Amino acid sequence: MTTSDAPFGRMLTAMVTPFTDDGAVDYEAVQRLATYLVDEQSNDGLVVSGTTGESPTTTDEEKERLLRAVLEAVGDRAVVVAGAGSNDTHHSIELARAAERAGAHGLLVVTPYYNKPPQEGLYRHFTAVADATGLPVMLYDIPGRSGVPIQSETLLRLAHHERIVAVKDAKADLFAGSQVMAATDLVFYSGDDTLNLPWLSVGAAGCVSVVGHVVGAEIATMMELYRSGDVAGALAVHRRLLPVVSGIMMQAGGAIMVKAALALVGRPAGPVRLPLAEATEQQIARLREDLVAGGVKLSDGVVA
């Protein structure tokens, strides 16, 4: 399931967190979703309590229970990665240690957001979290949310840490990523569903997907085709999935539209928590059209 060139697997989905109608975490639904993603959507890894999992609005206790629920459901056949990032280094260390105690296989650590640390602060933050446990770490570089990119020079420094082994890249700079991969052993994962295939072309090991909730099996097929040398076949899958990526990622953001998409395919995951808000009727209508255009079978039987 894991190799030195894919330490967290290849097809990972950043799971949403299912809630009940009154906003509580629905742990039974969490396990059903994890099982569906692994058994039916070809995921060999899952990220729990990432941004798509609405981690800013789940408590530390909920995060630990979520992780334990997913591990119980699929931990024997998928890499389970725990989101452990925040903009408080001490809190991130606490989250990382709690995840290790719960049995996580790895950590996803996002760039500290809002307080806009300098690159030296980023280096010290990531190093402190990596020092806190024995788990492998995937850095999450997403300046659109954090406000600060992890500069290539900082990644080169961090690559010397024995437990910092991968980067989830949502910076969309394939050239910079190529340079880092050429100079280090850091493994890159696409963190942007619009660029999954382009990232493979410059050496990425796989992806941490949002649209993988409904087309994970197709993305896994695309990656297998590319890795086997069938670039034309991979490109055909990439183009077929364009409407799905557009419908989910180009409207209201990951968690909102993925929960709407899951409802349309008969896998409801409940509402979102404020400050997020449910997709509008207009957004859902557009999403329905895009899913059908991408060949996704809806729960009412509609399919392209």
Side-chain angles (χ1 to χ4, degrees):
M1 186 162 55
T2 62
T3 61
S4 60
D5 67 331
F8 297 94
R10 298 194 185 278
M11 177 61 222
L12 294 87
T13 291
M15 280 182 60
V16 298
T17 297
F19 297 128
T20 61
D21 289 342
D22 62 0
V25 177
D26 187 340
Y27 294 101
E28 291 184 1
V30 168
Q31 293 191 312
R32 289 195 299 271
L33 177 61
T35 300
Y36 157 76
L37 289 172
V38 171
D39 293 349
E40 298 185 41
Q41 291 296 344
S42 301
N43 283 256
D44 57 0
L46 295 174
V47 173
V48 182
S49 293
T51 310
T52 307
E54 299 180 68
S55 59
T57 55
T58 56
T59 67
D60 290 1
E61 179 183 0
E62 288 173 328
K63 288 178 174 65
E64 184 170 345
R65 286 191 64 189
L66 278 163
L67 178 58
R68 290 183 184 275
V70 173
L71 284 163
E72 181 181 347
V74 300
D76 60 339
R77 57 190 190 280
V79 180
V80 180
V81 182
S86 76
N87 61 348
D88 173 357
T89 304
H90 178 71
H91 187 207
S92 295
I93 289 171
E94 290 181 337
L95 290 171
R97 287 174 173 164
E100 184 176 44
R101 288 193 299 269
H105 303 142
L107 301 172
L108 179 71
V109 184
V110 71
T111 311
Y113 39 84
Y114 188 70
N115 42 16
K116 299 184 75 171
Q119 292 298 305
E120 180 62 25
L122 294 186
Y123 174 78
R124 296 184 191 181
H125 171 84
F126 289 128
T127 299
V129 178
D131 283 342
T133 80
L135 296 175
V137 172
M138 180 189 296
L139 306 177
Y140 186 10
D141 191 4
I142 182 165
R145 289 185 182 272
S146 69
V148 178
I150 310 175
Q151 298 290 356
S152 295
E153 293 78 8
T154 305
L155 289 169
L156 295 177
R157 293 177 68 194
L158 290 166
H160 293 290
H161 197 292
E162 62 180 351
R163 285 185 294 281
I164 297 176
V165 299
V167 179
K168 176 187 175 185
D169 190 288
K171 191 162 56 183
D173 190 339
L174 276 72
F175 184 71
S178 298
Q179 290 179 308
V180 172
M181 281 186 272
T184 73
D185 291 328
L186 286 173
V187 176
F188 271 62
Y189 287 81
S190 170
D192 182 347
D193 277 310
T194 65
L195 296 176
N196 287 339
L197 182 57
W199 268 115
L200 291 178
S201 75
V202 296
C207 64
V208 181
S209 177
V210 175
V211 302
H213 282 88
V214 293
V215 290
E218 287 80 0
I219 296 172
T221 296
M222 180 186 74
M223 290 192 288
E224 290 172 6
L225 289 168
Y226 184 86
R227 286 173 53 78
S228 70
D230 187 354
V231 177
L235 180 60
V237 177
H238 166 77
R239 288 177 172 170
R240 187 167 70 246
L241 297 181
L242 289 176
V244 180
V245 176
S246 177
I248 292 176
M249 303 306 297
M250 302 300 181
Q251 292 201 75
I256 293 170
M257 297 313 298
V258 164
K259 285 193 169 181
L262 285 168
L264 288 173
V265 300
R267 300 277 178 178
V272 292
R273 283 181 176 174
L274 288 170
L276 301 185
E278 279 67 43
T280 66
E281 290 184 7
Q282 182 178 5
Q283 289 169 334
I284 292 171
R286 160 75 186 281
L287 175 63
R288 173 183 285 271
E289 293 175 358
D290 286 334
L291 293 178
V292 170
V296 176
K297 185 175 181 180
L298 306 186
S299 60
D300 58 8
V302 176
V303 67

